Amino acid sequence: MNSYRPETVCVQGGYTPGNGEPRQIPIIQSTTFKYATSEDMGKLFDLEASGYFYTRLQNPTNDYVAAKIAALEGGTAGMLTSSGQAANFFAMFNIASCGDHIVSSSSIYGGTFNLMSVTMARMGIETTFVSPDCTEEELNAAFRPNTKCVFGETIANPALTVLDIEKFARAAHAHGVPLIVDNTFPTPVGCRPIEWGADIVTHSTTKYMDGHGVAVGGAIVDSGKFDWFASADRFPGLTTPDESYHGITYAEKFGLAGAFITKCTAQLMRDFGSIQSPQHAFYLNLGLESLHVRMPRHCENGQAVAEFLAAHPKVASVTYCGLPGDKYHELAKKYLPNGSCGVVSFELEGGREAASVFMKNLKLAAIETHVADARTCCLNPASSTHRQMTDEQLAAAGVPAGLVRMSCGLESKEDLIEDIAQALEAI
């Protein structure tokens, strides 16, 4: 399916039914799978044969959908996880362990920032956060001998900074480590980070990929391009025998195309069990089938709302890379030529208090801890998703305390603008 255009992959990728088989991806709602002999099952446990034995590790429904996402991103292998947070954790923890180090853009989702700065730090993995606007010299200075990967978001949530993927990829590769990019906001319809040098791509499929707010999930896609043996000493988990699987060396047995995802499944999914349910994977696939149709409308609505807000006297600033005056407009033209997303961040004159009044008076847009689905929603990140961060950390992440993040859905853009206008009048 990699040879087809994204629109076709959205509709038909990942699953091709045989004669008389279900046209839609089937929901394999079973925890276990039957085998004729213990020897047959044993081959699966030894990674000598492909198949399924327990849904905590893998499930056919999930694999069909993961294959579609991998094809959309131009990768060689993919896997689904229970959430986007699990996807990011697995992607990093698959190659970093106690005593290791990560370089990350500071402008990322607050939950991911906390995962890295607090939880993974307790596991002995230290992270150095750098500004997405740093120079190449500043970026290179952040690396250490024990650095295992670089992390960033294509479009940061909620700061909406645009990552210079090529700059971060150059630095990562110069130091012999992969670049991991969370591509949740633009989706592969808007940007394919692998084409710009990223090695591993993650998603919160809960957002635009699902598109309807019905199923929490995540995904990891491997480009199959990073040469683990070129930095073999840095990645012993992939380049030396795994005694928990009878001495298998993943990069040797499964090659560049399959080593990363196989290890992530065989070790991390086995031990942590953060599997996406087959039912959720089915819902996700329904969303994927219309992703290429929905994303242009989200972008159209986001652009219209951003332009209206930018011209309003009660709005102090607007962040949306589609605006010609936006700091990241030139990067967006490079990486996101067909539009970014439907999320607009803005700060009102009057700060946090004004933001509270504004949101209370909205009628169409609901206050939700969510973003990127068919219905317009908004929130004040400092009092919700980013509330664990200090004011200094909020400032570093580009999320001032009075910021409002609005996710424009699929409604009429005229209706959205009228709703925003009347809420602004209440301030």
Side-chain angles (χ1 to χ4, degrees):
M1 268 288 169
N2 284 16
S3 62
Y4 288 96
R5 292 172 177 80
E7 296 88 344
T8 302
V9 178
C10 281
V11 178
Q12 295 206 29
Y15 172 70
T16 303
N19 190 41
E21 292 181 345
R23 185 63 190 89
Q24 179 58 281
I25 288 178
I27 305 172
I28 309 300
Q29 196 66 48
S30 179
T31 59
T32 54
F33 301 82
K34 175 185 176 295
Y35 286 89
T37 68
S38 295
E39 289 74 18
D40 289 338
M41 182 173 284
K43 291 177 182 177
L44 300 177
F45 279 89
D46 292 344
L47 301 181
E48 293 296 333
S50 60
Y52 305 91
F53 52 85
Y54 196 50
T55 285
R56 190 185 73 206
L57 278 88
Q58 282 181 289
N59 178 281
T61 305
N62 293 24
D63 282 356
Y64 292 139
V65 181
K68 174 179 286 191
I69 295 172
L72 283 168
E73 286 288 6
T76 58
M79 64 186 291
L80 300 187
T81 61
S82 57
S83 67
Q85 193 78 320
N88 283 332
F89 173 62
F90 275 21
M92 291 183 280
F93 196 60
N94 201 34
I95 48 180
S97 57
C98 184
D100 288 336
H101 174 252
I102 293 170
V103 174
S104 174
S105 167
S106 61
S107 187
I108 56 176
Y109 169 59
T112 307
F113 185 96
N114 196 70
L115 166 69
M116 301 168 77
S117 64
V118 179
T119 303
M120 292 179 70
R122 291 172 58 195
M123 302 168 72
I125 302 171
E126 189 176 353
T127 301
T128 296
F129 293 97
V130 297
S131 167
D133 306 325
C134 66
T135 65
E136 299 214 23
E137 291 75 17
E138 290 169 334
L139 180 54
N140 281 302
F143 286 82
R144 303 175 186 174
N146 61 338
T147 301
K148 294 300 177 74
C149 65
V150 179
F151 180 85
E153 297 178 1
T154 313
I155 302 175
N157 174 16
L160 301 183
T161 55
V162 178
L163 187 73
D164 190 342
I165 302 172
E166 286 191 317
K167 179 178 74 174
F168 276 74
R170 276 195 304 272
H173 297 159
H175 292 272
V177 301
L179 171 62
I180 301 172
V181 173
D182 184 327
N183 197 36
T184 295
F185 269 12
T187 81
V189 171
C191 179
R192 304 208 319 169
I194 290 171
E195 295 178 351
W196 298 102
D199 302 288
I200 297 151
V201 175
T202 61
H203 285 276
S204 170
T205 63
T206 316
K207 310 303 190 298
Y208 286 121
M209 282 188 166
D210 168 282
H212 302 89
V214 296
V216 175
I220 307 172
V221 174
D222 181 18
S223 70
K225 295 180 179 180
F226 191 82
D227 187 351
W228 304 106
F229 279 118
S231 304
D233 293 343
R234 201 181 287 262
F235 304 106
L238 284 155
T239 61
T240 61
D242 178 4
E243 298 307 324
S244 70
Y245 274 106
H246 309 287
I248 284 174
T249 300
Y250 292 99
E252 184 178 275
K253 184 174 180 64
F254 300 102
L256 300 186
F260 184 88
I261 293 297
T262 302
K263 177 181 181 293
C264 202
T265 301
Q267 288 185 354
L268 302 189
M269 196 62 83
R270 174 196 64 189
D271 295 342
F272 288 95
S274 299
I275 193 76
Q276 187 170 144
S277 78
Q279 189 75 42
H280 278 197
F282 178 82
Y283 295 146
L284 168 58
N285 184 62
L286 293 180
L288 288 170
E289 289 179 350
S290 63
L291 182 65
H292 61 294
V293 179
R294 291 183 287 106
M295 285 308 296
R297 180 58 176 267
H298 283 295
C299 293
E300 177 187 346
N301 283 0
Q303 183 72 29
V305 165
E307 290 174 359
F308 172 79
L309 289 167
H312 201 285
K314 292 186 178 180
V315 177
S317 64
V318 180
T319 301
Y320 188 76
C321 63
L323 295 175
D326 188 85
K327 181 179 181 179
Y328 297 97
H329 186 63
E330 292 304 313
L331 278 180
K333 288 199 298 186
K334 174 180 178 178
Y335 295 117
L336 305 156
N338 298 316
S340 58
C341 63
V343 182
V344 180
S345 289
F346 56 98
E347 195 172 1
L348 296 172
E349 298 286 357
R352 190 190 297 259
E353 184 178 345
S356 176
V357 173
F358 169 76
M359 293 197 299
K360 285 178 182 177
N361 282 277
L362 288 168
K363 294 179 171 58
L364 277 178
I367 300 174
E368 300 177 18
T369 310
H370 189 47
V371 68
D373 75 18
R375 291 159 295 275
T376 295
C377 57
C378 70
L379 84 167
N380 171 232
S383 62
S384 53
T385 56
H386 287 58
R387 68 182 298 115
Q388 75 276 18
M389 297 171 69
T390 65
D391 284 350
E392 291 75 18
Q393 289 172 331
L394 285 168
V399 189
L403 190 77
V404 174
R405 181 190 70 183
M406 177 167 285
S407 174
C408 301
L410 301 178
E411 303 93 344
S412 158
K413 61 187 176 185
E414 289 82 6
D415 286 340
L416 291 179
I417 290 172
E418 288 175 9
D419 186 36
I420 292 169
Q422 64 83 27
L424 287 170
E425 287 302 310
I427 299 174

